[in-house]
Amino acid sequence: MLSDLVLGIFFLIQTGVGILGNVFLLVIYISILLTGHRLKSIECIFAHLALANSKVILSKGIPQMIACFGINNFLDLLGCKFIIYLQNVSRGVSLSITCLLSGFQVITISPSNSRSAELKIKASKSIVPACFLCWGFFLVVNFTLLATMHNSRYMSNNTKMWNLGYCSILIPASFNAALFAIVFSIPDVICLGFIIWGNAYLMLFLHRHHQQVQHIHSSHVFPKTFPEKRATKAILLLVSTYVFFYSINSGLSIYLFKIDKHQSWFAPILNFLGACFPAISPFVLIFSDSRVLKYWYALWQRRLSFS
């Protein structure tokens, strides 16, 4: 159908652009490490976020794109479970790393005093362990969920089949899905609430700072008084984009879970919206990191010189 072809082309563009941006970030950070330099704390967060977002795009975009181009149910049960597991893990890590990024920026721009300085030092040292903790937590939690959902003691003759396009999965009717949805959505709700709170704090801080510097007319004084302003605005844009797409995707996911029958285009649209933030975020990160931006300009100048 024409609609499937159009969706497939959109997935192809989204996957290509998103993977290009995220892989560019990862390559830059790896090259910085290989040259003997250390990554800044915020760059460590960016690297983990780029890795999680790459997994989201690959697990959502490629299978759905193949299905839209006419190859349906090409994954067996094991492959279907693996894709769902990868989607849930990468989505959870992306959410938690975004939450970590929001909290780290709140600490970074806090007014400098003895207590705040000590907190900033502790936060910088805890970034890498916190990122690996996010990966470990969602790897274990989603493995437990997937194993429980497909436990043989839940299976009966009365099962529901959920057609994802690229595969079909059986959901036992006796499985208490509502309880599991509540339990396993608790981390998402906590992270989302903290992100919204951090966003509100950053916006309030920027507003107060803007009022304080209105009387300063010299263009040489302003950038030195608040060097984190551009990074803070970029992170505000990043987390706002995440909250927007996450809210829409979560609402549609609940609707899809409740209804028994839905249009064939509904699941692809849901996956497309779920992969929008991972495809957009690397370019926001590129223009907020000065070192990455320098590499980006160098590559662009080299491309212009060759052309």
Side-chain angles (χ1 to χ4, degrees):
M1 295 178 63
L2 180 61
S3 59
D4 293 333
L5 181 61
V6 171
L7 281 172
I9 293 172
F10 274 112
F11 273 108
L12 179 62
I13 296 172
Q14 183 191 59
T15 303
V17 172
I19 290 298
L20 178 65
N22 285 290
V23 169
F24 175 80
L25 274 177
L26 290 174
V27 169
I28 292 299
Y29 292 138
I30 292 173
S31 64
I32 291 174
L33 290 173
L34 292 177
T35 54
H37 296 86
R38 294 184 62 183
L39 292 178
K40 302 174 185 177
S41 298
I42 198 168
E43 289 176 338
C44 291
I45 301 177
F46 288 171
H48 282 273
L49 184 61
L51 180 60
N53 287 338
S54 298
K55 292 180 180 292
V56 173
I57 294 172
L58 290 174
S59 60
K60 286 183 178 290
I62 292 181
Q64 196 65 68
M65 178 178 61
I66 296 174
C68 288
F69 285 141
I71 307 176
N72 296 315
N73 293 316
F74 58 91
L75 290 176
D76 57 5
L77 181 60
L78 183 62
C80 192
K81 288 182 179 181
F82 176 74
I83 289 296
I84 294 174
Y85 177 70
L86 188 61
Q87 288 177 358
N88 291 335
V89 170
S90 54
R91 174 183 172 276
V93 173
S94 179
L95 173 61
S96 59
I97 296 294
T98 305
C99 177
L100 186 64
L101 175 62
S102 180
F104 180 78
Q105 192 61 19
V106 167
I107 296 173
T108 301
I109 68 169
S110 297
S112 297
N113 51 53
S114 58
R115 186 176 180 180
S116 177
E118 184 180 352
L119 183 61
K120 290 178 183 180
I121 294 173
K122 289 182 178 179
S124 298
K125 292 180 178 179
S126 304
I127 287 300
V128 175
C131 290
F132 283 107
L133 181 63
C134 292
W135 283 101
F137 175 79
F138 284 100
L139 283 169
V140 173
V141 166
N142 285 283
F143 182 80
T144 304
L145 172 64
L146 196 63
T148 306
M149 282 185 64
H150 300 281
N151 195 316
S152 58
R153 70 189 183 91
Y154 286 109
M155 292 297 178
S156 63
N157 294 328
N158 186 17
T159 59
K160 295 181 180 179
M161 179 175 287
W162 191 11
N163 186 12
L164 302 175
Y166 43 86
C167 67
S168 297
I169 189 168
L170 294 174
I171 302 178
S174 58
F175 177 71
N176 195 342
L179 177 61
F180 269 78
I182 293 172
V183 171
F184 286 94
S185 63
I186 290 176
D188 290 5
V189 173
I190 294 174
C191 288
L192 194 62
F194 188 82
I195 288 174
I196 294 173
W197 172 83
N199 239 18
Y201 178 86
L202 292 175
M203 292 176 65
L204 181 61
F205 184 87
L206 287 177
H207 177 69
R208 287 179 177 176
H209 181 267
H210 178 71
Q211 289 181 332
Q212 291 174 357
V213 300
Q214 277 184 341
H215 64 280
I216 300 176
H217 299 286
S218 174
S219 60
H220 299 287
V221 177
F222 180 71
K224 294 180 182 179
T225 57
F226 191 39
E228 301 90 354
K229 183 178 179 181
R230 188 177 70 174
T232 303
K233 286 186 175 180
I235 292 171
L236 271 173
L237 176 62
L238 190 73
V239 296
S240 299
T241 305
Y242 190 93
V243 170
F244 175 74
F245 283 112
Y246 179 86
S247 301
I248 296 177
N249 183 260
S250 297
L252 292 177
S253 298
I254 294 172
Y255 175 74
L256 179 65
F257 185 77
K258 284 187 174 182
I259 60 176
D260 294 329
K261 295 182 180 180
H262 54 83
Q263 297 295 328
S264 59
W265 50 264
F266 194 86
I269 291 294
L270 191 65
N271 283 328
F272 183 82
L273 290 173
C276 279
F277 172 78
I280 295 171
S281 65
F283 300 98
V284 179
L285 298 178
I286 287 170
F287 289 99
S288 65
D289 192 330
S290 58
R291 285 205 286 185
V292 174
L293 195 58
K294 183 178 68 174
Y295 282 103
W296 179 271
Y297 282 144
L299 288 175
W300 183 257
Q301 292 296 331
R302 187 178 300 178
R303 177 182 176 276
L304 291 178
S305 62
F306 281 131
S307 60

